[in-house]
Amino acid sequence: MITRLLNAMKRHPGLYLMMLLPAAYFLIFKYIPMGGLAMAFMKYNPVKGFAGSTWVGFSNFIKFFQSYFFGSLIWNTFSISLYQLVFGFPMPIILAISINEAVSMKLKKTVQMITYAPHFISTVVMVSIILQFLSPHYGLINFMLSKLGIEPVNFMGISSYFKTIYVVSGIWQTMGYSSIVYIAALSAIDPQIVEAAIVDGASKFKRILFIDLPFLMPTAITLLILNAGRIMSIGFEKIFLMQNPMNLNSSEIISTYVYKIGLLNTDYSLATAIGLFNSVINLVLILIVNKLAKKYGEVGLF
């Protein structure tokens, strides 16, 4: 096998040279840091290092499982991610089909440009926009409510609103960019199939149902499996920037808790244990979803 690899490298040196940088990235920033997972089973002391720190087995995991915040952290992380998956996952598909069915090319390009643009807004700017729009003093939403005779609402101060605000703003920001892969899949449909369906009298709705959606299913299932594998790994930055003491009951998730425990409280061992637990849950979820997808749809990630 080594001989075959060396021969292949001699035949295609340019291709293997292109692989060198991404391979180095994953090795340095993804695989080598895995050695730090040993901290999850230690009472880690930065001064003494790995060699001088005490091994404590699974006590860090037990400490997390028995903590007061365990239930709320798991629920907040899971519910926000599931909320986002259920309502956010279909939107790029709907948008892609809508753009594909539009007759005017000018309209297609305009809609694509408008829906793609929010993806390129940075997280800090995005949260600033959300806070400006929802401000109880000068926000656009409360200004419109005041014109209707409704008292201003402190949306970011009501914990029950937090998840909806997070999910809806996320859908608005990402659905345009996420639809690109579905638009590409729709462009691969043979026009003769569509023409045959039109000749047979199929309505636009039936063409979407029996031609477009079946073509999109392999791509959609693959992306669904990948998203399911990240269901317990919500992005840290946006939620952390949207947090305040009044909505903490709904906004505190595993990633923000790990930041506070690990960097602010300097309990590196507990933070590592929580992160490892989170990764194991994600691995189990992606294996389950992949198995179900292969069982019922004959399409899987691996």
Side-chain angles (χ1 to χ4, degrees):
M1 181 176 288
I2 296 176
T3 305
R4 288 172 58 187
L5 178 61
L6 292 174
N7 291 334
M9 292 176 68
K10 289 178 182 179
R11 289 195 304 269
H12 309 286
L15 296 177
Y16 283 91
L17 189 62
M18 289 175 62
M19 289 176 57
L20 186 60
L21 190 59
Y25 167 79
F26 280 101
L27 179 65
I28 296 171
F29 295 104
K30 301 295 182 180
Y31 287 96
I32 293 178
M34 285 185 181
L37 294 176
M39 284 193 293
F41 306 95
M42 295 178 171
K43 187 176 181 181
Y44 182 71
N45 188 324
V47 177
K48 297 179 180 179
F50 286 99
S53 298
T54 307
W55 290 91
V56 294
F58 291 94
S59 63
N60 288 314
F61 295 92
I62 295 171
K63 182 179 179 181
F64 174 56
F65 298 153
Q66 294 178 344
S67 70
Y68 173 78
F69 301 101
F70 176 74
S72 61
L73 288 174
I74 297 298
W75 170 246
N76 288 340
T77 305
F78 180 78
S79 60
I80 291 174
S81 190
L82 187 63
Y83 191 178
Q84 189 171 245
L85 186 63
V86 170
F87 291 96
F89 186 77
M91 293 307 296
I93 299 176
I94 296 171
L95 178 62
I97 292 174
S98 301
I99 292 173
N100 186 64
E101 293 295 329
V103 178
S104 171
M105 185 59 66
K106 186 176 181 180
L107 176 62
K108 285 185 179 182
K109 292 182 178 179
T110 303
V111 172
Q112 285 178 322
M113 181 185 69
I114 292 173
T115 54
Y116 291 176
H119 172 78
F120 301 100
I121 300 174
S122 70
T123 304
V124 175
V125 175
M126 181 64 195
V127 174
S128 298
I129 292 172
I130 294 170
L131 296 179
Q132 292 284 341
F133 265 75
L134 300 180
S135 171
H137 304 294
Y138 47 80
L140 177 62
I141 304 299
N142 276 304
F143 173 77
M144 295 171 64
L145 292 176
S146 65
K147 294 299 181 181
L148 297 173
I150 302 174
E151 291 292 325
V153 179
N154 184 10
F155 291 98
M156 297 305 297
I158 302 174
S159 60
S160 59
Y161 290 169
F162 180 85
K163 295 175 183 178
T164 300
I165 294 170
Y166 178 85
V167 171
V168 171
S169 61
I171 292 172
W172 174 77
Q173 185 176 15
T174 61
M175 72 174 182
Y177 190 80
S178 300
S179 68
I180 293 175
V181 66
Y182 297 111
I183 293 174
L186 289 171
S187 66
I189 297 176
D190 190 346
Q192 293 182 354
I193 298 175
V194 180
E195 291 170 4
I198 294 173
V199 171
D200 290 339
S203 64
K204 184 170 290 188
F205 176 76
K206 287 186 176 180
R207 295 199 301 271
I208 292 172
L209 190 62
F210 295 107
I211 297 176
D212 293 349
L213 288 178
F215 267 88
L216 291 178
M217 284 308 295
T219 303
I221 290 174
T222 300
L223 293 176
L224 178 62
I225 294 170
L226 293 172
N227 288 334
R230 296 192 297 265
I231 202 167
M232 296 295 288
S233 297
I234 307 173
F236 163 80
E237 297 89 352
K238 184 179 176 182
I239 283 194
F240 183 73
L241 292 171
M242 290 175 65
Q243 276 185 354
N244 62 57
M246 291 181 287
N247 63 31
L248 206 59
N249 289 337
S250 296
S251 63
E252 188 76 290
I253 59 172
I254 290 177
S255 58
T256 57
Y257 187 70
V258 166
Y259 165 75
K260 293 170 184 176
I261 291 294
L263 295 182
L264 300 185
N265 294 349
T266 64
D267 193 342
Y268 305 113
S269 297
L270 180 58
T272 305
I274 298 171
L276 180 57
F277 165 77
N278 195 37
S279 299
V280 170
I281 295 298
N282 283 329
L283 176 61
V284 171
L285 287 172
I286 198 171
L287 291 174
I288 292 173
V289 174
N290 184 72
K291 185 70 174 179
L292 292 174
K294 291 176 68 176
K295 182 178 180 180
Y296 295 105
E298 299 183 0
V299 178
L301 188 61
F302 49 85

